[in-house]
Amino acid sequence: MIATPSLQPTAYYEQSTFDSELVEVFENNWIFAGFVEQLANDNDFITLTIGKTPVVVQNFKGQLSALLNVCSHRRAQLQTGPQGNRSMRCPYHCWSYKQDGALAGVPQNNTDFGLTQEDKRALSLRRFELELCGNFIFVRVCKNKPTLRAFLGPYFPILQELSTSFCDSVGKGSYEWHTNWKIACETVLEVYHVASVHPETFAKFAKAECEIQFFNGHSTGNTPLQDAPKKWWQGARKHLKIEQNQNYTEYNHFFIYPNLAIGLTNGTLMSLQTYEPIDATRSRLNFDLKMVPRVDGKETSEAVKSAIMANFNEFNHTILEEDRLIAESCQKNMLSVNTPGLLGKCEDRILHFQNAWKRDVSQNTNQINEDN
Ligand code: FES
Ligand SMILES: [Fe+2]
C-alpha cells in the first residue's frame, strides 16, 4: 500500500486532545497575528486568542508589543474588538500599562492600594515574543523556542516578499465552520477533491495537478491555472494599472504550520487565511484579500476595486461554502468511526501537517509521563 493512515478520529473531537493542542500546538509555535499596517499609529491595537491565551498587540509610540489582554487588577479584558485605537488602560477601573507590560497607573493607589514600585512590577502584564517577517506580525506565547526565521526556514524570505508585494487591501471576512480546526486546514492541503467538490468553480480555475514542497509542517502546492482565469486577470490588471508578481504566476499556495494558508492567484491577488480553533468541533476561518499595488503609486478608486472584487469574492465564497459542507460532513462522521481514514500520495501535504501536529502533541504526552 502506498497510502498512510490519517489521524485517529478522536483527534478531531476529543476535549482532552483539544485542550492539549491549544497549548502544545498554538502556544508553542509562532502564530500569524496580523499586518504591520493595522498598527501604523500610536495606540493602534489588534487582539487575538492564541491557544488559551488572550493577546493584544499594540503600537506604543512606534514600538509594537504583544501583551496578555487581561488586567492584573480584577481580570477585565484590556482591549476589546478585533482591532482599534485606544491607550492601554483597563475599561473597568482605569489601571494603565506601559509597552513592556509594566503597571503605569493605579487610581487611588496611595489611599487604597499602597502598591510600591516592586509590587507594581509583580503586577506587570505577561509579554510575549513578537517578530516581523516583512509586514507580517507573528507572536509566540511560549518562550525559549526557535526564532521566527528558524521556524519559517525557506518560507521566511518568501513570506517577506509576499507581505510587501501583495499589500493593497481589497476585502476581508470570516466564516464559522462546524469542524475541528484541523479538518478546516486539511481542506486546503490537497487538490484531489477539486473535480468532485468544485466542478464549476476551482476546477475551471486551476488544473487538477500540484507540485509540492515541504519544510517541517509547512508546505507549498503549485497548481497551474487554466487559460480562462489567466486571461481574466490579465484584463483586470490592465484595467487596474497593476503589474503581476512574476515569481508566482499560477495558483501558488503556501501553508505555514499550524494555521496560516496563503493562496496567490496569477501573481495578482493574495488570499491569506487563518484557521482559528473555537472549540473542539468549531473553527473560524478568517480571510484577507490583498492585491499588488498600482505601478503609478496612485490609489485605485473604491468603485473599480469593488467591481473587480465582486467577481472574485463571489467565486471565493462559493468555493469556501463547497469546502465547508464537505468538511462538516467529515467532522460529523468522525463520531461514528473508530479507525483512522487514509491519506494517498496526493494528500502528502496533509501528512506533513499531521506529522508536525503529532510531534507537538506527543512531546506534551511524553512530558506528562516524565513528570509523573
Ligand atoms: S479590572 Fe482592570 S482596573 Fe480593575
Ligand atoms: Fe476545496
Side-chain angles (χ1 to χ4, degrees):
M1 187 161 75
I2 303 169
T4 41
S6 184
L7 296 178
Q8 288 293 344
T10 51
Y12 296 101
Y13 62 82
E14 219 174 47
Q15 189 60 39
S16 58
T17 306
F18 183 70
D19 288 341
S20 139
E21 68 189 356
L22 285 185
V23 177
E24 301 308 322
V25 175
F26 283 87
E27 298 197 357
N28 268 337
N29 286 298
W30 286 102
I31 301 296
F32 174 79
F35 305 93
V36 168
E37 57 266 28
Q38 290 176 285
L39 301 174
N41 305 306
D42 186 29
N43 286 332
D44 278 351
F45 70 83
I46 49 180
T47 67
L48 73 159
T49 301
I50 301 181
K52 296 181 176 176
T53 306
V55 175
V56 51
V57 185
Q58 180 145 341
N59 178 328
F60 291 84
K61 297 195 172 67
Q63 300 290 314
L64 300 186
S65 221
L67 302 168
L68 184 69
N69 194 15
V70 177
C71 181
S72 304
H73 177 221
R74 280 173 40 212
R75 313 303 185 190
Q77 190 171 323
L78 290 165
Q79 300 291 31
T80 50
Q83 70 176 85
N85 181 283
R86 192 179 158 275
S87 67
M88 185 59 88
R89 198 184 62 241
C90 180
Y92 202 172
H93 313 95
C94 296
W95 284 27
S96 58
Y97 298 88
K98 296 186 207 166
Q99 187 220 335
D100 59 357
L103 187 52
V106 175
Q108 300 166 222
N109 184 34
N110 291 346
T111 53
D112 293 11
F113 288 89
L115 301 176
T116 61
Q117 283 310 320
E118 202 179 325
D119 295 330
K120 283 189 180 173
R121 251 196 310 279
L123 290 163
S124 295
L125 300 175
R126 263 180 82 194
R127 190 179 182 187
F128 308 113
E129 313 260 339
L130 182 153
E131 282 189 37
L132 302 182
C133 177
N135 288 328
F136 292 163
I137 303 168
F138 284 82
V139 173
R140 194 187 52 214
V141 168
C142 172
K143 287 198 188 321
N144 307 323
K145 293 267 180 165
T147 60
L148 180 63
R149 196 177 279 273
F151 172 76
L152 292 175
Y155 289 95
F156 191 93
I158 295 174
L159 262 54
Q160 202 171 25
E161 191 212 333
L162 300 186
S163 79
T164 49
S165 175
F166 298 82
C167 57
D168 195 0
S169 209
V170 284
K172 65 189 295 169
S174 77
Y175 293 97
E176 188 179 318
W177 283 21
H178 286 249
T179 73
N180 180 275
W181 69 277
K182 297 190 290 302
I183 286 199
C185 288
E186 289 168 5
T187 63
V188 292
L189 291 176
E190 44 90 356
V191 293
Y192 188 38
H193 72 287
V194 166
S196 41
V197 175
H198 309 297
E200 295 302 320
T201 52
F202 199 85
K204 294 198 168 154
F205 169 78
K207 299 183 179 159
E209 47 191 90
C210 193
E211 174 229 23
I212 53 186
Q213 287 147 19
F214 305 108
F215 177 77
N216 296 336
H218 318 314
S219 62
T220 308
N222 293 320
T223 304
L225 286 170
Q226 305 280 12
D227 289 338
K230 279 191 177 173
K231 281 211 181 87
W232 190 87
W233 279 107
Q234 199 178 12
R237 278 195 298 274
K238 214 167 145 196
H239 201 68
L240 289 165
K241 300 192 175 57
I242 55 180
E243 253 172 35
Q244 186 179 43
N245 179 319
Q246 298 293 322
N247 295 332
Y248 307 102
T249 55
E250 302 296 329
Y251 182 70
N252 306 93
H253 187 267
F254 304 96
F255 182 76
I256 303 299
Y257 178 81
N259 74 330
L260 170 66
I262 300 175
L264 306 177
T265 300
N266 202 215
T268 310
L269 184 82
M270 170 171 82
S271 171
L272 183 146
Q273 305 178 343
T274 56
Y275 304 85
E276 239 180 275
I278 299 175
D279 59 30
T281 59
R282 281 183 314 150
S283 50
R284 190 176 318 284
L285 189 162
N286 305 303
F287 68 89
D288 274 276
L289 295 175
K290 298 198 167 225
M291 259 183 339
V292 287
R294 273 175 71 136
V295 275
D296 55 10
K298 289 186 189 150
E299 282 280 311
T300 303
S301 85
E302 288 307 317
V304 174
K305 263 191 207 174
S306 343
I308 299 277
M309 291 324 296
N311 181 320
F312 189 81
N313 276 326
E314 194 191 315
F315 175 78
N316 193 40
H317 174 78
T318 310
I319 290 186
L320 286 173
E321 281 299 283
E322 288 165 349
D323 281 328
R324 181 181 64 80
L325 288 176
I326 200 80
E328 289 184 350
S329 113
C330 300
Q331 178 70 39
K332 196 162 148 267
N333 292 325
M334 289 295 171
L335 292 167
S336 340
V337 293
N338 55 14
T339 51
L342 272 187
L343 296 174
K345 190 144 181 44
C346 52
E347 292 158 301
D348 254 4
R349 292 180 78 197
I350 298 182
L351 183 66
H352 280 258
F353 164 67
Q354 294 184 351
N355 285 344
W357 179 87
K358 279 192 219 160
R359 275 195 298 276
D360 280 345
V361 172
S362 72
Q363 261 165 21
N364 170 52
T365 316
N366 294 341
Q367 191 60 45
I368 291 168
N369 293 341
E370 280 165 28
D371 291 350
N372 290 337

